[in-house]
Amino acid sequence: MERLHEMLQDANMAQSLQVQISITADKCQVIIALLDIFQSRRPIVTKVFDYLEDLHMKLEFNKELHFEACAQYFEGLDLSFAIKMQILNRVEQAYSNAEDKLSKYMSDGQPAIEFLKEVRVFDPRHIVFMSDCVASYKSIPGFSAVPKDELDAYFIHLGPAALRASACGVVDLDVFWDGLQERLPHLSVLAKRYKSVIVNSADAERSNSIYKLVLSSRRRSVTNDNLKALVFLYHNQRLTSGAFEMNEEDEDFEEAFEEA
């Protein structure tokens, strides 16, 4: 606190920090929106890799900032051109570091990255740029057993037909795959199994927190079955009483991410 107070006594330093905070608050909106998407309870596993690619492009695009694009952040401030360029260089370095980390994450830093690439095949919107060969999907357990004729029917006829019949090219995957259980029995089983895979640990962490509340020091002898029942009742009681904030599920996070 003493160091921060000392820094703020310097007019140039105070204004410099103001600009950096403003840029960070503005530029990080895309990351905040993406975190909301990942932490929501909506099934998004077929979109995760696309989100990461979009974020990578945004970070790479901002690695080289031009002064004209950031002039609004310096309006009304008495800063020399040298200090302004120093601020922009710091922001560029931050973007560069973030882009490097994300590149590593999307290469060998995330063990499931190949699965996230391949699982997009279960969304008809992606089949136009994906392989129609069964052997191409090695990271999806069970995909090697999918008959070639099923995959061909999906790629050539059923997937494109669903897109043409959909509103704005958005297909309800639950309805789509439920309706293809007879025509694509093997592929539909895999699609329904993997299209809703959880991409974060938020629910697991919430569950652990509830277990800690329910399993108090006075309930150490409770059986596993009774414990599960108590947790179930406790969770649903909090939902109906409004103790959980569920508004996030009603918001259109994808639109917010695209706008950011």
PDB file of all heavy atoms in Angstrom, residues 8-33:
ATOM      1  N   LEU A   8       1.235   6.716  -6.876  1.00  0.00           N
ATOM      2  CA  LEU A   8       0.134   7.594  -7.245  1.00  0.00           C
ATOM      3  C   LEU A   8       0.436   9.065  -6.999  1.00  0.00           C
ATOM      4  O   LEU A   8      -0.286   9.937  -7.485  1.00  0.00           O
ATOM      5  CB  LEU A   8      -1.131   7.189  -6.486  1.00  0.00           C
ATOM      6  CG  LEU A   8      -1.713   5.814  -6.874  1.00  0.00           C
ATOM      7  CD1 LEU A   8      -2.914   5.479  -6.007  1.00  0.00           C
ATOM      8  CD2 LEU A   8      -2.099   5.782  -8.352  1.00  0.00           C
ATOM      9  N   GLN A   9       1.487   9.355  -6.227  1.00  0.00           N
ATOM     10  CA  GLN A   9       1.877  10.746  -6.010  1.00  0.00           C
ATOM     11  C   GLN A   9       2.533  11.346  -7.240  1.00  0.00           C
ATOM     12  O   GLN A   9       2.583  12.570  -7.399  1.00  0.00           O
ATOM     13  CB  GLN A   9       2.835  10.851  -4.811  1.00  0.00           C
ATOM     14  CG  GLN A   9       2.242  10.346  -3.504  1.00  0.00           C
ATOM     15  CD  GLN A   9       0.855  10.902  -3.235  1.00  0.00           C
ATOM     16  OE1 GLN A   9       0.663  12.121  -3.187  1.00  0.00           O
ATOM     17  NE2 GLN A   9      -0.116  10.009  -3.065  1.00  0.00           N
ATOM     18  N   ASP A  10       3.043  10.463  -8.107  1.00  0.00           N
ATOM     19  CA  ASP A  10       3.650  10.911  -9.362  1.00  0.00           C
ATOM     20  C   ASP A  10       2.534  11.051 -10.395  1.00  0.00           C
ATOM     21  O   ASP A  10       1.869  10.075 -10.739  1.00  0.00           O
ATOM     22  CB  ASP A  10       4.691   9.883  -9.820  1.00  0.00           C
ATOM     23  CG  ASP A  10       5.455  10.350 -11.062  1.00  0.00           C
ATOM     24  OD1 ASP A  10       4.859  11.042 -11.908  1.00  0.00           O
ATOM     25  OD2 ASP A  10       6.639   9.997 -11.190  1.00  0.00           O
ATOM     26  N   ALA A  11       2.335  12.261 -10.900  1.00  0.00           N
ATOM     27  CA  ALA A  11       1.231  12.523 -11.831  1.00  0.00           C
ATOM     28  C   ALA A  11       1.330  11.660 -13.083  1.00  0.00           C
ATOM     29  O   ALA A  11       0.329  11.094 -13.545  1.00  0.00           O
ATOM     30  CB  ALA A  11       1.206  14.001 -12.207  1.00  0.00           C
ATOM     31  N   ASN A  12       2.535  11.543 -13.635  1.00  0.00           N
ATOM     32  CA  ASN A  12       2.714  10.729 -14.841  1.00  0.00           C
ATOM     33  C   ASN A  12       2.407   9.268 -14.567  1.00  0.00           C
ATOM     34  O   ASN A  12       1.753   8.579 -15.373  1.00  0.00           O
ATOM     35  CB  ASN A  12       4.137  10.875 -15.370  1.00  0.00           C
ATOM     36  CG  ASN A  12       4.371  12.207 -16.056  1.00  0.00           C
ATOM     37  OD1 ASN A  12       3.434  12.843 -16.553  1.00  0.00           O
ATOM     38  ND2 ASN A  12       5.623  12.657 -16.076  1.00  0.00           N
ATOM     39  N   MET A  13       2.880   8.785 -13.415  1.00  0.00           N
ATOM     40  CA  MET A  13       2.639   7.389 -13.072  1.00  0.00           C
ATOM     41  C   MET A  13       1.152   7.130 -12.853  1.00  0.00           C
ATOM     42  O   MET A  13       0.607   6.114 -13.288  1.00  0.00           O
ATOM     43  CB  MET A  13       3.433   7.011 -11.817  1.00  0.00           C
ATOM     44  CG  MET A  13       3.203   5.577 -11.337  1.00  0.00           C
ATOM     45  SD  MET A  13       3.705   4.337 -12.570  1.00  0.00           S
ATOM     46  CE  MET A  13       5.500   4.503 -12.469  1.00  0.00           C
ATOM     47  N   ALA A  14       0.481   8.041 -12.169  1.00  0.00           N
ATOM     48  CA  ALA A  14      -0.957   7.887 -11.904  1.00  0.00           C
ATOM     49  C   ALA A  14      -1.752   7.853 -13.203  1.00  0.00           C
ATOM     50  O   ALA A  14      -2.640   7.016 -13.388  1.00  0.00           O
ATOM     51  CB  ALA A  14      -1.447   9.022 -11.008  1.00  0.00           C
ATOM     52  N   GLN A  15      -1.411   8.755 -14.136  1.00  0.00           N
ATOM     53  CA  GLN A  15      -2.110   8.777 -15.418  1.00  0.00           C
ATOM     54  C   GLN A  15      -1.773   7.540 -16.246  1.00  0.00           C
ATOM     55  O   GLN A  15      -2.633   6.994 -16.949  1.00  0.00           O
ATOM     56  CB  GLN A  15      -1.743  10.051 -16.180  1.00  0.00           C
ATOM     57  CG  GLN A  15      -2.291  11.319 -15.552  1.00  0.00           C
ATOM     58  CD  GLN A  15      -2.003  12.555 -16.390  1.00  0.00           C
ATOM     59  OE1 GLN A  15      -1.380  12.482 -17.439  1.00  0.00           O
ATOM     60  NE2 GLN A  15      -2.466  13.704 -15.918  1.00  0.00           N
ATOM     61  N   SER A  16      -0.528   7.103 -16.161  1.00  0.00           N
ATOM     62  CA  SER A  16      -0.115   5.906 -16.880  1.00  0.00           C
ATOM     63  C   SER A  16      -0.891   4.686 -16.393  1.00  0.00           C
ATOM     64  O   SER A  16      -1.362   3.871 -17.197  1.00  0.00           O
ATOM     65  CB  SER A  16       1.384   5.676 -16.707  1.00  0.00           C
ATOM     66  OG  SER A  16       1.789   4.476 -17.339  1.00  0.00           O
ATOM     67  N   LEU A  17      -1.041   4.560 -15.089  1.00  0.00           N
ATOM     68  CA  LEU A  17      -1.805   3.450 -14.524  1.00  0.00           C
ATOM     69  C   LEU A  17      -3.275   3.531 -14.934  1.00  0.00           C
ATOM     70  O   LEU A  17      -3.919   2.513 -15.219  1.00  0.00           O
ATOM     71  CB  LEU A  17      -1.689   3.451 -12.997  1.00  0.00           C
ATOM     72  CG  LEU A  17      -0.326   3.064 -12.417  1.00  0.00           C
ATOM     73  CD1 LEU A  17      -0.326   3.236 -10.905  1.00  0.00           C
ATOM     74  CD2 LEU A  17       0.029   1.626 -12.787  1.00  0.00           C
ATOM     75  N   GLN A  18      -3.791   4.746 -14.983  1.00  0.00           N
ATOM     76  CA  GLN A  18      -5.182   4.945 -15.393  1.00  0.00           C
ATOM     77  C   GLN A  18      -5.407   4.434 -16.811  1.00  0.00           C
ATOM     78  O   GLN A  18      -6.397   3.746 -17.095  1.00  0.00           O
ATOM     79  CB  GLN A  18      -5.552   6.420 -15.299  1.00  0.00           C
ATOM     80  CG  GLN A  18      -6.970   6.741 -15.758  1.00  0.00           C
ATOM     81  CD  GLN A  18      -7.283   8.224 -15.701  1.00  0.00           C
ATOM     82  OE1 GLN A  18      -6.635   8.981 -14.968  1.00  0.00           O
ATOM     83  NE2 GLN A  18      -8.265   8.660 -16.472  1.00  0.00           N
ATOM     84  N   VAL A  19      -4.477   4.760 -17.705  1.00  0.00           N
ATOM     85  CA  VAL A  19      -4.592   4.312 -19.095  1.00  0.00           C
ATOM     86  C   VAL A  19      -4.492   2.792 -19.185  1.00  0.00           C
ATOM     87  O   VAL A  19      -5.272   2.137 -19.878  1.00  0.00           O
ATOM     88  CB  VAL A  19      -3.501   4.975 -19.962  1.00  0.00           C
ATOM     89  CG1 VAL A  19      -3.511   4.373 -21.366  1.00  0.00           C
ATOM     90  CG2 VAL A  19      -3.710   6.474 -20.029  1.00  0.00           C
ATOM     91  N   GLN A  20      -3.518   2.220 -18.470  1.00  0.00           N
ATOM     92  CA  GLN A  20      -3.327   0.774 -18.530  1.00  0.00           C
ATOM     93  C   GLN A  20      -4.545   0.025 -17.986  1.00  0.00           C
ATOM     94  O   GLN A  20      -4.951  -1.000 -18.545  1.00  0.00           O
ATOM     95  CB  GLN A  20      -2.073   0.389 -17.744  1.00  0.00           C
ATOM     96  CG  GLN A  20      -0.782   0.892 -18.374  1.00  0.00           C
ATOM     97  CD  GLN A  20       0.441   0.507 -17.575  1.00  0.00           C
ATOM     98  OE1 GLN A  20       0.732  -0.665 -17.382  1.00  0.00           O
ATOM     99  NE2 GLN A  20       1.170   1.507 -17.092  1.00  0.00           N
ATOM    100  N   ILE A  21      -5.127   0.549 -16.913  1.00  0.00           N
ATOM    101  CA  ILE A  21      -6.324  -0.082 -16.355  1.00  0.00           C
ATOM    102  C   ILE A  21      -7.492   0.022 -17.329  1.00  0.00           C
ATOM    103  O   ILE A  21      -8.262  -0.931 -17.511  1.00  0.00           O
ATOM    104  CB  ILE A  21      -6.686   0.553 -14.994  1.00  0.00           C
ATOM    105  CG1 ILE A  21      -5.617   0.202 -13.954  1.00  0.00           C
ATOM    106  CG2 ILE A  21      -8.056   0.089 -14.528  1.00  0.00           C
ATOM    107  CD1 ILE A  21      -5.797   0.925 -12.631  1.00  0.00           C
ATOM    108  N   SER A  22      -7.635   1.171 -17.984  1.00  0.00           N
ATOM    109  CA  SER A  22      -8.723   1.364 -18.953  1.00  0.00           C
ATOM    110  C   SER A  22      -8.577   0.406 -20.134  1.00  0.00           C
ATOM    111  O   SER A  22      -9.557  -0.207 -20.577  1.00  0.00           O
ATOM    112  CB  SER A  22      -8.744   2.813 -19.443  1.00  0.00           C
ATOM    113  OG  SER A  22      -8.984   3.702 -18.381  1.00  0.00           O
ATOM    114  N   ILE A  23      -7.351   0.288 -20.649  1.00  0.00           N
ATOM    115  CA  ILE A  23      -7.110  -0.629 -21.774  1.00  0.00           C
ATOM    116  C   ILE A  23      -7.392  -2.059 -21.356  1.00  0.00           C
ATOM    117  O   ILE A  23      -8.033  -2.833 -22.083  1.00  0.00           O
ATOM    118  CB  ILE A  23      -5.670  -0.484 -22.289  1.00  0.00           C
ATOM    119  CG1 ILE A  23      -5.460   0.909 -22.897  1.00  0.00           C
ATOM    120  CG2 ILE A  23      -5.365  -1.560 -23.325  1.00  0.00           C
ATOM    121  CD1 ILE A  23      -4.040   1.170 -23.366  1.00  0.00           C
ATOM    122  N   THR A  24      -6.913  -2.430 -20.152  1.00  0.00           N
ATOM    123  CA  THR A  24      -7.120  -3.794 -19.679  1.00  0.00           C
ATOM    124  C   THR A  24      -8.605  -4.102 -19.503  1.00  0.00           C
ATOM    125  O   THR A  24      -9.085  -5.165 -19.918  1.00  0.00           O
ATOM    126  CB  THR A  24      -6.395  -4.003 -18.331  1.00  0.00           C
ATOM    127  OG1 THR A  24      -5.004  -3.752 -18.500  1.00  0.00           O
ATOM    128  CG2 THR A  24      -6.599  -5.426 -17.827  1.00  0.00           C
ATOM    129  N   ALA A  25      -9.341  -3.173 -18.908  1.00  0.00           N
ATOM    130  CA  ALA A  25     -10.774  -3.379 -18.685  1.00  0.00           C
ATOM    131  C   ALA A  25     -11.523  -3.538 -20.001  1.00  0.00           C
ATOM    132  O   ALA A  25     -12.470  -4.329 -20.106  1.00  0.00           O
ATOM    133  CB  ALA A  25     -11.347  -2.215 -17.883  1.00  0.00           C
ATOM    134  N   ASP A  26     -11.100  -2.795 -21.008  1.00  0.00           N
ATOM    135  CA  ASP A  26     -11.765  -2.848 -22.308  1.00  0.00           C
ATOM    136  C   ASP A  26     -11.380  -4.107 -23.082  1.00  0.00           C
ATOM    137  O   ASP A  26     -12.229  -4.864 -23.545  1.00  0.00           O
ATOM    138  CB  ASP A  26     -11.411  -1.600 -23.116  1.00  0.00           C
ATOM    139  CG  ASP A  26     -12.219  -1.516 -24.400  1.00  0.00           C
ATOM    140  OD1 ASP A  26     -13.276  -2.172 -24.484  1.00  0.00           O
ATOM    141  OD2 ASP A  26     -11.795  -0.793 -25.321  1.00  0.00           O
ATOM    142  N   LYS A  27     -10.081  -4.350 -23.192  1.00  0.00           N
ATOM    143  CA  LYS A  27      -9.597  -5.462 -24.003  1.00  0.00           C
ATOM    144  C   LYS A  27      -9.904  -6.827 -23.392  1.00  0.00           C
ATOM    145  O   LYS A  27      -9.964  -7.828 -24.104  1.00  0.00           O
ATOM    146  CB  LYS A  27      -8.088  -5.328 -24.218  1.00  0.00           C
ATOM    147  CG  LYS A  27      -7.662  -4.076 -24.973  1.00  0.00           C
ATOM    148  CD  LYS A  27      -8.185  -4.080 -26.395  1.00  0.00           C
ATOM    149  CE  LYS A  27      -7.654  -2.887 -27.188  1.00  0.00           C
ATOM    150  NZ  LYS A  27      -8.160  -2.874 -28.588  1.00  0.00           N
ATOM    151  N   CYS A  28     -10.079  -6.883 -22.075  1.00  0.00           N
ATOM    152  CA  CYS A  28     -10.316  -8.167 -21.418  1.00  0.00           C
ATOM    153  C   CYS A  28     -11.785  -8.583 -21.438  1.00  0.00           C
ATOM    154  O   CYS A  28     -12.128  -9.653 -20.922  1.00  0.00           O
ATOM    155  CB  CYS A  28      -9.818  -8.132 -19.981  1.00  0.00           C
ATOM    156  SG  CYS A  28      -8.019  -8.248 -19.838  1.00  0.00           S
ATOM    157  N   GLN A  29     -12.647  -7.758 -22.022  1.00  0.00           N
ATOM    158  CA  GLN A  29     -14.063  -8.120 -22.091  1.00  0.00           C
ATOM    159  C   GLN A  29     -14.262  -9.438 -22.826  1.00  0.00           C
ATOM    160  O   GLN A  29     -15.122 -10.248 -22.465  1.00  0.00           O
ATOM    161  CB  GLN A  29     -14.855  -7.008 -22.787  1.00  0.00           C
ATOM    162  CG  GLN A  29     -15.017  -5.745 -21.969  1.00  0.00           C
ATOM    163  CD  GLN A  29     -15.767  -5.983 -20.677  1.00  0.00           C
ATOM    164  OE1 GLN A  29     -16.772  -6.689 -20.653  1.00  0.00           O
ATOM    165  NE2 GLN A  29     -15.273  -5.414 -19.596  1.00  0.00           N
ATOM    166  N   VAL A  30     -13.459  -9.672 -23.855  1.00  0.00           N
ATOM    167  CA  VAL A  30     -13.595 -10.901 -24.619  1.00  0.00           C
ATOM    168  C   VAL A  30     -13.237 -12.111 -23.767  1.00  0.00           C
ATOM    169  O   VAL A  30     -13.874 -13.175 -23.859  1.00  0.00           O
ATOM    170  CB  VAL A  30     -12.704 -10.846 -25.887  1.00  0.00           C
ATOM    171  CG1 VAL A  30     -11.230 -10.678 -25.512  1.00  0.00           C
ATOM    172  CG2 VAL A  30     -12.898 -12.085 -26.737  1.00  0.00           C
ATOM    173  N   ILE A  31     -12.247 -11.980 -22.899  1.00  0.00           N
ATOM    174  CA  ILE A  31     -11.853 -13.085 -22.032  1.00  0.00           C
ATOM    175  C   ILE A  31     -12.909 -13.326 -20.957  1.00  0.00           C
ATOM    176  O   ILE A  31     -13.232 -14.476 -20.631  1.00  0.00           O
ATOM    177  CB  ILE A  31     -10.478 -12.808 -21.397  1.00  0.00           C
ATOM    178  CG1 ILE A  31      -9.420 -12.696 -22.490  1.00  0.00           C
ATOM    179  CG2 ILE A  31     -10.106 -13.897 -20.400  1.00  0.00           C
ATOM    180  CD1 ILE A  31      -8.033 -12.363 -21.969  1.00  0.00           C
ATOM    181  N   ILE A  32     -13.468 -12.241 -20.414  1.00  0.00           N
ATOM    182  CA  ILE A  32     -14.510 -12.368 -19.403  1.00  0.00           C
ATOM    183  C   ILE A  32     -15.737 -13.069 -19.991  1.00  0.00           C
ATOM    184  O   ILE A  32     -16.334 -13.957 -19.363  1.00  0.00           O
ATOM    185  CB  ILE A  32     -14.894 -10.982 -18.856  1.00  0.00           C
ATOM    186  CG1 ILE A  32     -13.712 -10.373 -18.086  1.00  0.00           C
ATOM    187  CG2 ILE A  32     -16.118 -11.080 -17.951  1.00  0.00           C
ATOM    188  CD1 ILE A  32     -13.933  -8.950 -17.647  1.00  0.00           C
ATOM    189  N   ALA A  33     -16.113 -12.670 -21.205  1.00  0.00           N
ATOM    190  CA  ALA A  33     -17.259 -13.310 -21.859  1.00  0.00           C
ATOM    191  C   ALA A  33     -16.984 -14.789 -22.099  1.00  0.00           C
ATOM    192  O   ALA A  33     -17.873 -15.636 -21.932  1.00  0.00           O
ATOM    193  CB  ALA A  33     -17.561 -12.600 -23.181  1.00  0.00           C
TER     194      ALA A  33
END
